[in-house]
Amino acid sequence: MAEKRIIFHVDLDAFFASCEERENPRFLGKPIVVGADPKEGKGRGVVSTANYTARKFGIHSAMPISRAWRLCASASSAGAPSAIFLPVNSSLYLRVSKSVMKILQDTAQKYDGTFEQVGIDEAYIDISPVCNDCDRNNCIQRIEKIAGTVKNKIRSKEKVTASVGVGPNMLIAKIASDFQKPNGVTIVNPEDVQAFLDPLPVRKIPGVGPKTEAALKQLRVETVLDLRKVPQLILYEKFGKHGIALYESSRGIDERPVGEDAETKSISEEHTFDHDTKSAQKILPVLFRLTQNVLQSALKEEFRAFHTVTIKIRYADFQTHTKSQSGNYQTKNQEAVERLALKLFWPFLNPQKKIRLIGFRVSNFI
Ligand code: TTP
Ligand code: MG
């Protein structure tokens, strides 16, 4: 591994909503919420994303759509423009994603670097070789220029904006891309890593969710600087292996190489029922539809086979379960995958318990 690496993390801004905006110029300047049908405030699904105008009302991904509806209603009665609620249009987003990823892949190739897509709208590129032959000052200028060029290419070809983070490893690049969203560029030099991290809330470290955040708060840890003061042993005792990762992240340590990584990728879809149900007649058609959609998305991304299938069930009382099976599955062999989905789902069917949500995921692509 090169001693000094230059890693970019590129993440599109309010991705699903930005795709909708570019398709419909009349949406310009309006709050947009993409997700489940709000049903005039009675919808039961969640928000996939909201554009930055709608985020000002407090709306964010994974929020119940009914709550988003109410927030928009009160904003609009206080004089804000009324919000536009749209369903998820996966094929549009996949098309845009594919084209953006091609731009990033070509950029990596141009500088003899590597590329790794990690989600529908984000990817890393390692372009360390670019600065093999430049001195420090013009090095930073070159990086700024490349970041600007990447953003311009994405904007002119696909009419969406991206935020770019640059750092000496994937961790720093990822935190940096989020630092000045939307449409930002944040470059963190290796010598500035600690000063950049220290004031951030621990939640900014990828992998720190609400539970870890709350557990850290009990240790009086709120910022990365606080986290850095906790001995490794204590973090290990409290969080196990994740504690070691926290210890390293708080010091900006991350040695993962950037590379094509089909193994960590997954494609999934979920459905929240309008009414909780235990009827197989109602659930199975939905399960098969989810299976079809996921397989179609996998085919579009040219994944011809995969190793793992997972079913997720949430009961009416919010108890959530997953069940996986691994093997060698062909993306085109829909019938075999449906049979497997059915087999995994069947034990969850319980005459005493109604189901609220069902999900289907394939991962470990070959
Ligand atoms: P993100 O990159 O997390 O979010 P974003 O692009 O909408 O906004 P940001 O500017 O903060 O990057 O996710 C990319 C897309 O994935 C997002 O547009 C919609 C989808 N998504 C969901 O469907 N559900 C979720 O809970 C999240 C987080 C994202
Ligand atoms: Mg994004």
Side-chain angles (χ1 to χ4, degrees), residues 106-158:
D106 289 349
T107 307
Q109 221 163 39
K110 177 172 172 191
Y111 297 107
D112 218 5
T114 53
F115 163 85
E116 181 178 332
Q117 182 177 354
V118 286
I120 192 167
D121 81 330
E122 56 175 314
Y124 294 93
I125 48 181
D126 179 341
I127 54 161
S128 306
V130 79
C131 287
N132 279 350
D133 57 352
C134 54
D135 68 45
R136 229 191 88 71
N137 283 332
N138 72 26
C139 193
I140 291 170
Q141 281 166 11
R142 272 174 100 166
I143 292 169
E144 276 170 358
K145 202 165 158 209
I146 295 168
T149 307
V150 163
K151 275 160 59 70
N152 287 340
K153 276 190 182 159
I154 294 173
R155 200 211 275 265
S156 63
K157 182 135 196 282
E158 290 302 329

Side-chain angles (χ1 to χ4, degrees), residues 10-16 49 52 55 121-122 161 181:
V10 180
D11 189 305
L12 301 173
D13 302 318
F15 178 47
F16 291 5
T49 197
Y52 280 79
R55 286 183 200 192
D121 81 330
E122 56 175 314
T161 60
K181 255 185 175 292

Side-chain angles (χ1 to χ4, degrees), residues 33-210:
V33 182
V34 179
D37 185 347
K39 298 189 175 166
E40 310 263 315
K42 296 194 184 84
R44 288 161 42 96
V46 291
V47 172
S48 295
T49 197
N51 68 356
Y52 280 79
T53 312
R55 286 183 200 192
K56 285 191 199 135
F57 309 155
I59 297 171
H60 57 75
S61 295
M63 166 184 280
I65 199 81
S66 50
R67 185 157 150 67
W69 176 269
R70 286 195 300 274
L71 287 169
C72 287
S74 22
S76 133
S77 56
S82 37
I84 295 164
F85 282 79
L86 298 166
V88 172
N89 178 355
S90 306
S91 58
L92 166 66
Y93 314 145
L94 275 172
R95 223 165 46 232
V96 178
S97 165
K98 220 166 165 179
S99 157
V100 169
M101 292 304 153
K102 174 86 172 58
I103 293 171
L104 299 176
Q105 218 164 359
D106 289 349
T107 307
Q109 221 163 39
K110 177 172 172 191
Y111 297 107
D112 218 5
T114 53
F115 163 85
E116 181 178 332
Q117 182 177 354
V118 286
I120 192 167
D121 81 330
E122 56 175 314
Y124 294 93
I125 48 181
D126 179 341
I127 54 161
S128 306
V130 79
C131 287
N132 279 350
D133 57 352
C134 54
D135 68 45
R136 229 191 88 71
N137 283 332
N138 72 26
C139 193
I140 291 170
Q141 281 166 11
R142 272 174 100 166
I143 292 169
E144 276 170 358
K145 202 165 158 209
I146 295 168
T149 307
V150 163
K151 275 160 59 70
N152 287 340
K153 276 190 182 159
I154 294 173
R155 200 211 275 265
S156 63
K157 182 135 196 282
E158 290 302 329
K159 313 271 179 293
V160 292
T161 60
S163 293
V164 177
V166 187
N169 59 43
M170 291 167 87
L171 170 79
I172 302 303
K174 167 104 181 162
I175 298 174
S177 75
D178 187 53
F179 194 67
Q180 297 187 73
K181 255 185 175 292
N183 204 12
V185 176
T186 303
I187 299 172
V188 184
N189 294 312
E191 61 274 24
D192 301 330
V193 162
Q194 204 63 67
F196 171 67
L197 287 180
D198 276 350
L200 298 178
V202 281
R203 204 46 206 278
K204 292 286 175 189
I205 297 176
V208 174

Side-chain angles (χ1 to χ4, degrees), residues 14-32 34 50-54 86 92 159-160:
F15 178 47
F16 291 5
S18 305
C19 292
E20 300 291 349
E21 273 174 30
R22 81 161 201 183
E23 295 294 297
N24 299 286
R26 70 203 156 86
F27 293 165
L28 207 77
K30 300 219 164 135
I32 296 178
V34 179
N51 68 356
Y52 280 79
T53 312
L86 298 166
L92 166 66
K159 313 271 179 293
V160 292

